[in-house]
Amino acid sequence: MTFKQYMKRAWPLYVMIVPGIVFVLLFRYYPMYGVVIAFQDFSPAKGFAGSPWIGWANFEFLFLAPEFRRILGNTLIISVSKIVADQLGAIILALLLNEARRILFRRAIQTLIYLPHFLSWIVLGGILLDILSSGGILNQALRSVGVEPQLWLGSNDWFRGAVITSGFWKNVGFSTIVYLAALTAINPVLHEAAAIDGAGRFRRVWHITLPGIRPTIVLLAALSLGDVLQAGFEQILTLYNPAVYRTGDIIDTYVYRVGLIRAQWSLAGAVGLFKSFIGFFLIVLSYWLADRYAGYRIL
């Protein structure tokens, strides 16, 4: 088949992707020109062309600032904790649901754990603020049993735990879908043979089910590496306050405050560019690991 014959047959498909290409070019690649403000003392009145060029000064200030090291540490601690908790929780939930025998019970539990994923953090944040406030349901329950109430969202000792737990509540149900799909690929004959040989349910899970979904576990663990710097901007912006900046402030909320509230656009641009560079490296590494250990390739 010649190229002309191929295009005569396939041109409608190429026309269909034109809007997507235009969207990506216009809203993803064209704005990348704005990264030059990270190397400027940017002023909106002077624009990109008129703002003075200061080279690496913003990055030098950023890397020497103790505040940034604390923010980077917060981002890594929260994001890694959320990734580990979500992955382990999704595996355990998938195994438990797979072992459930009553279909109605199983579907009811799946609906309950999936539902938070489809709610925005604005909605869930309002719910959590009511539950975890000083006069909220949780503190009222603690008072009723003689336990001292806590400032869950106003204390540096509790804020990270509240963020990780609420993120787990929202995301773990949806993450189980992938593992439940992987479980369907395991040959039931293996379980039947093991049961005939006298293997109990726990031993069948340990020796058949977990090895059967091992490639999926490795793949998702590798791909999640690309989200190490994604600690949850909307979640933390909804829940945090100045009292917990020491343990709750992350890169994204720092960029928001510095760039939009303090109007330090160049510094915010430097932080965003640093995050994008590290994120690109982590994404490349995650896909290499997925290809190396799970046989996953995009092309």
Side-chain angles (χ1 to χ4, degrees):
M1 180 183 297
T2 64
F3 177 76
K4 183 177 180 180
Q5 292 173 328
Y6 170 78
M7 288 302 299
K8 184 177 180 180
R9 187 180 67 176
W11 71 266
L13 301 177
Y14 287 94
V15 172
M16 289 175 61
I17 67 173
V18 168
I21 294 175
V22 172
F23 176 84
V24 170
L25 292 177
L26 188 61
F27 293 101
R28 294 292 186 268
Y29 285 93
Y30 177 70
M32 289 176 65
Y33 173 72
V35 301
V36 297
I37 69 173
F39 305 94
Q40 296 177 327
D41 183 10
F42 179 72
S43 171
K46 297 178 181 178
F48 294 124
S51 297
W53 192 269
I54 59 174
W56 297 96
N58 287 317
F59 293 93
E60 292 175 359
F61 174 82
L62 182 66
F63 295 143
L64 293 176
E67 184 182 30
F68 180 72
R69 292 195 290 271
R70 171 176 55 80
I71 290 167
L72 181 60
N74 290 340
T75 303
L76 292 174
I77 291 172
I78 293 174
S79 61
V80 171
S81 299
K82 290 170 70 173
I83 289 171
V84 172
D86 288 351
Q87 290 295 319
L88 290 178
I91 294 170
I92 294 171
L93 273 175
L95 293 175
L96 292 175
L97 288 172
N98 187 61
E99 294 297 318
R101 293 294 177 258
R102 296 189 177 183
I103 301 299
L104 183 61
F105 172 79
R106 178 177 175 176
R107 290 179 178 175
I109 296 299
Q110 284 179 299
T111 302
L112 289 175
I113 63 176
Y114 292 168
L115 182 60
H117 177 80
F118 299 99
L119 300 177
S120 70
W121 271 116
I122 300 301
V123 175
L124 291 178
I127 296 173
L128 290 170
L129 289 174
D130 287 337
I131 294 175
L132 301 177
S133 64
S134 57
I137 298 172
L138 182 57
N139 279 330
Q140 290 181 18
L142 292 176
R143 288 191 187 98
S144 66
V145 296
V147 179
E148 187 70 20
Q150 301 291 335
L151 292 174
W152 304 103
L153 298 178
S155 170
N156 285 299
D157 296 330
W158 294 104
F159 183 76
R160 283 179 184 166
V163 168
I164 295 168
T165 304
S166 59
F168 178 84
W169 172 46
K170 186 178 190 299
N171 298 319
V172 70
F174 193 78
S175 300
T176 60
I177 293 176
V178 178
Y179 291 109
L180 286 172
L183 289 170
T184 61
I186 298 176
N187 192 342
V189 174
L190 298 175
H191 286 277
E192 295 172 1
I196 293 173
D197 289 338
R201 183 172 295 183
F202 177 79
R203 293 183 65 85
R204 294 201 302 270
V205 169
W206 184 259
H207 293 287
I208 297 175
T209 305
L210 284 177
I213 63 173
R214 184 182 300 156
T216 303
I217 296 174
V218 173
L219 172 61
L220 294 181
L223 295 181
S224 65
L225 183 63
D227 294 329
V228 165
L229 296 183
Q230 303 293 336
F233 170 69
E234 293 181 358
Q235 177 191 11
I236 294 180
L237 185 66
T238 303
L239 298 178
Y240 87 151
N241 56 77
V244 294
Y245 281 174
R246 182 168 61 84
T247 57
D249 202 15
I250 61 172
I251 292 177
D252 291 331
T253 54
Y254 181 73
V255 170
Y256 169 78
R257 286 203 326 278
V258 169
L260 295 181
I261 298 179
R262 300 181 192 172
Q264 296 177 312
W265 297 287
S266 295
L267 181 58
V271 179
L273 184 59
F274 167 78
K275 180 190 172 184
S276 299
F277 176 80
I278 300 300
F280 174 76
F281 170 76
L282 291 175
I283 289 173
V284 172
L285 177 61
S286 68
Y287 279 101
W288 180 83
L289 291 173
D291 178 30
R292 176 69 174 79
Y293 295 103
Y296 173 82
R297 293 185 179 183
I298 298 177
L299 299 176

